[in-house]
Amino acid sequence: MGVFTQEINGVVITFFSTASAVGKTLISTNMASELARQGKKVCLVDFDLQFGDVSNYLQLLPQRTAYDLQQAMSQQQQGVAVRAEEFLTPYEYHNVVFYVLAAPTKLEEAYNIDADKAMDMVRQLQKVFDYVLVDTTSTFSKLNLALLDLSTIVSFLGIVDFIPTIKNMKIGSETLKKMNYDKNKIRLILNRSNAKTRISIEDVENLLGEPFYHILPNDFHAASQSIKDGVPLVLRSGGSELGEALRDLVARYTNRVYDDAGDERGSESWLARIFG
Ligand SMILES: Nc1ncnc2c1ncn2[C@@H]1O[C@H](COP(=O)(O)OP(=O)(O)OP(=O)(O)O)[C@@H](O)[C@H]1O
Ligand SMILES: [Mg+2]
């Protein structure tokens, strides 16, 4: 990344949920991979600050983390801008590359990250990446609320398993509605759809008052194997139903029909591609 990179005001996609273990990290690592595979400049930010899994899922050993970036931003002398790109760790698989802003390695460092500074980090990254994807935790924390505001798109993920999870999804979706965002901003995504459950998807959609934007299948084997290998599903040859559904999700976000050749960049504006 050159010093004279033009500012691009990238799209910010936050992955949020009101329950843990619903697939935020699996889906965000796969979306980052698929966007990068299509030739986009992508940064994946791990703002699950205390217990982030992005580096584990991608088998990265970051030298610098969000904490180091915050330290540098606080110490910067006037006129000497900190370049956020220098605090990233690349993920590379064959010729696909994207960058990760890793979560701190120590709990005390995570605890000391300030929400306003974290937002400054995202804004800086937006200037140099087409897409900034942010993995989060399942709480309405100050950091997550600020992120929801800043995001172009919020992927609100849920699974249909037990009544408490569904109750929390309902609370989450009602809270998001109260925030009066643009209708297209919040995308309700159901993960692990065909996992064994007695609760029907239709009943959940009725309860939430809207249909799911996208539905991803349950595939325990493919998901766990990809984490074990450190290779996101969308980058694997052979393919799996879950990998295909993840690619379809990216195609819907970028408003393009999935095209195996990848790589071409459309000439429409980002907004036209997302909301068109
Ligand atoms: N569609 C799927 N089919 C089968 N297993 C899945 C699927 N999506 C995710 N998983 C599995 O569910 C587990 C939780 O996924 P993940 O870590 O992505 O969730 P999370 O929302 O990031 O959790 P946390 O809130 O703890 O960070 C992982 O073991 C992952 O392999
Ligand atoms: Mg996670």
Side-chain angles (χ1 to χ4, degrees):
M1 278 176 283
V3 180
F4 301 107
T5 319
Q6 226 188 323
E7 292 195 2
I8 44 185
N9 193 28
V11 172
V12 178
I13 306 178
T14 290
F15 295 81
F16 180 67
S17 64
T18 45
S20 56
V22 301
K24 294 182 295 296
T25 307
L26 185 102
I27 296 168
S28 58
T29 48
N30 273 281
M31 283 192 74
S33 304
E34 177 60 11
L35 288 163
R37 202 188 64 81
Q38 291 177 11
K40 310 288 193 292
K41 286 172 74 179
V42 180
C43 182
L44 175 57
V45 176
D46 194 349
F47 276 171
D48 179 352
L49 294 168
Q50 296 193 356
F51 299 109
D53 280 321
V54 170
S55 296
N56 297 335
Y57 276 35
L58 299 173
Q59 295 180 4
L60 299 175
L61 292 170
Q63 299 297 306
R64 295 170 125 184
T65 71
Y67 184 71
D68 301 307
L69 177 54
Q70 172 170 284
Q71 293 295 91
M73 284 164 78
S74 334
Q75 286 160 12
Q76 69 183 310
Q77 293 160 352
Q78 271 201 326
V80 184
V82 172
R83 284 166 39 82
E85 308 96 282
E86 288 168 6
F87 292 80
L88 309 178
T89 309
Y91 173 80
E92 294 174 54
Y93 184 76
H94 295 301
N95 50 4
V96 174
V97 183
F98 65 88
Y99 294 83
V100 170
L101 178 60
T105 46
K106 298 187 184 121
L107 275 182
E108 62 268 30
E109 292 176 351
Y111 189 78
N112 284 313
I113 290 200
D114 176 81
D116 295 331
K117 293 258 170 48
M119 288 312 101
D120 286 344
M121 296 180 204
V122 175
R123 280 191 212 97
Q124 283 223 32
L125 292 168
Q126 247 187 308
K127 292 180 188 172
V128 279
F129 287 95
D130 297 325
Y131 284 91
V132 180
L133 272 52
V134 191
D135 189 11
T136 66
T137 53
S138 1
T139 52
F140 279 97
S141 59
K142 186 180 173 204
L143 170 62
N144 285 349
L145 285 166
L147 263 176
L148 297 175
D149 266 346
L150 184 70
S151 301
T152 324
I153 298 179
V154 175
S155 301
F156 180 49
L157 307 172
I159 54 174
V160 170
D161 56 355
F162 306 115
I163 299 292
T165 331
I166 294 161
K167 179 207 70 174
N168 291 349
M169 215 195 309
K170 167 92 175 149
I171 295 174
S173 105
E174 280 181 355
T175 308
L176 291 172
K177 275 180 194 149
K178 276 190 208 141
M179 291 173 177
N180 278 327
Y181 294 133
D182 182 293
K183 203 170 144 284
N184 282 310
K185 177 159 164 168
I186 312 292
R187 314 251 167 123
L188 208 57
I189 297 168
L190 175 67
N191 191 22
R192 313 193 64 172
S193 62
N194 46 349
K196 283 196 176 63
T197 169
R198 284 161 180 253
I199 304 161
S200 90
I201 295 177
E202 208 186 345
D203 284 350
V204 177
E205 287 179 329
N206 286 336
L207 183 77
L208 297 175
E210 61 182 306
F212 287 104
Y213 173 86
H214 199 76
I215 295 180
L216 296 162
N218 186 57
D219 188 341
F220 177 77
H221 179 74
S224 48
Q225 189 65 43
S226 75
I227 296 165
K228 195 164 157 250
D229 298 343
V231 181
L233 288 158
V234 295
L235 299 182
R236 304 180 78 95
S237 53
S240 59
E241 202 194 327
L242 179 55
E244 285 305 310
L246 285 160
R247 283 181 171 194
D248 288 344
L249 178 60
V250 173
R252 296 186 68 182
Y253 272 38
T254 54
N255 196 21
R256 70 204 281 285
V257 176
Y258 172 59
D259 159 20
D260 209 30
D263 287 355
E264 106 256 350
R265 273 162 175 255
S267 54
E268 308 153 78
S269 74
W270 291 114
L271 282 180
R273 269 186 260 171
I274 293 161
F275 299 127

